[in-house]
Amino acid sequence: MSEKIPAAHVMELPRVVIVGSEVAGKIGSSIADLELGKTCLIVSGPNVHHLSERRIGPSLIEAGFRFRWEVDGPSTFSEVERIAMLAAEEQADFLIGVGGGRSIDLAKLAAYNCKIPFVSVPTSASHDGISSPFGSVRGLDRPYSIVAKPPIAIIADTDLISRAPRKLLISGCGDLISKKTAVKDWELSYVRTGEYFGRYSANLALLSANMIMEDAGIISSISSEGISVVVEALISSGVAAGIAGSSRPCSGSEHLFSHAMDIVAPGKGMHGEKCGMGTIMMAKLHGLDYGEIRKTLRIIGSPVKASEIGATSDEVVKALVLARSIRKERYTILEEAKLNEESAKKLAQDVGVI
Ligand SMILES: [Zn+2]
């Protein structure tokens, strides 16, 4: 397949990525060479603050940084604004987000608004937002995915991440497996609409998914090796989005299903869990080996049936029908399947999701 290269294609990538045990305790020296300035605002939830301040604080002070640590609120537009204002008040040279999804996204988006760099310190491996240029916040009607900048540095402490509930790691695996169908959707859009398709970023995203498929056994065996596999795959997949300049390699019809579930059945299941189930169904529409995807999710312990996340058959069918209209500009297999209640139900039943 030949590539259509747009006139200007901007790739934005992290400058420093450190993955390993106890690396959060060396954050000061790790980011010192980046010349980010000396003042920073750190954002995290209350539990993470308690768990990580003793590691991160002294290391920053030792390296000559000044910081204020702010406990964040819900992932809303107004919270992004509040953090951005605080960063301006503190004359912060950069922002550090410490946590799982919410704090990382809030810090990333606030840093983007303030036009200052952002350092990502993930404490769980639940989705690829830890390295991607995208952040999501809840709007009044639905969640919004917003383009920002990727982190300038990612400090992924596998020791910290291993303390997070296992469910979060499992959700990360679902988010990674979803690259199987996301890339297929992107390829399809290239053929049907002429949209730019980047083979390199598509293959990098696929590599992340394949690593999870190959190492499912290791991941299921609660080991530091398994955690490293997931963390590195999530980072690569976020980087793939940075190279593509869009979330295309990481987010396709399976993500549209997950977003539709956020609306139809709010609070049921985690992002990656819903993406994993969506991948099984979209793989069937794409003619991929959905059984293999289902089997991998099973080995890892990720839900493959709606009832496992407390959702009903009705909710899955509604979400499948709604998914196509969530992001109209994004061409996916859903444009061709044109699911109605009947065909959506049959699809979900055929692959065992309901
Ligand atoms: Zn995702």
Side-chain angles (χ1 to χ4, degrees), residues 70-142:
E70 180 69 11
V71 170
D72 56 23
S75 70
T76 56
F77 286 108
S78 59
E79 184 63 0
V80 171
E81 261 172 48
R82 188 184 74 84
I83 292 166
M85 273 167 65
L86 207 59
E89 243 170 68
E90 295 289 316
Q91 296 186 317
D93 298 308
F94 63 101
L95 258 154
I96 302 181
V98 188
R102 194 193 67 235
S103 302
I104 298 277
D105 280 352
L106 286 172
K108 188 191 293 176
L109 296 173
Y112 184 66
N113 287 357
C114 295
K115 299 188 171 55
I116 56 176
F118 155 67
V119 175
S120 170
V121 184
T123 56
S124 68
S126 59
H127 66 88
D128 53 26
I130 59 178
S131 59
S132 75
F134 305 94
S136 71
V137 283
R138 276 203 314 268
L140 288 175
D141 50 343
R142 64 177 179 92

Side-chain angles (χ1 to χ4, degrees), residues 178-195:
S178 72
K179 310 324 172 206
K180 287 265 183 199
T181 44
V183 168
K184 272 280 166 195
D185 283 321
W186 193 16
E187 248 180 76
L188 184 70
S189 177
Y190 166 79
V191 172
R192 298 282 196 264
T193 73
E195 180 184 345

Side-chain angles (χ1 to χ4, degrees), residues 184-215:
K184 272 280 166 195
D185 283 321
W186 193 16
E187 248 180 76
L188 184 70
S189 177
Y190 166 79
V191 172
R192 298 282 196 264
T193 73
E195 180 184 345
Y196 163 74
F197 176 83
R199 268 172 57 213
Y200 185 89
S201 51
N203 280 326
L204 186 59
L206 273 184
L207 178 67
S208 306
N210 290 336
M211 290 288 293
I212 299 304
M213 309 277 285
E214 280 166 28
D215 288 348

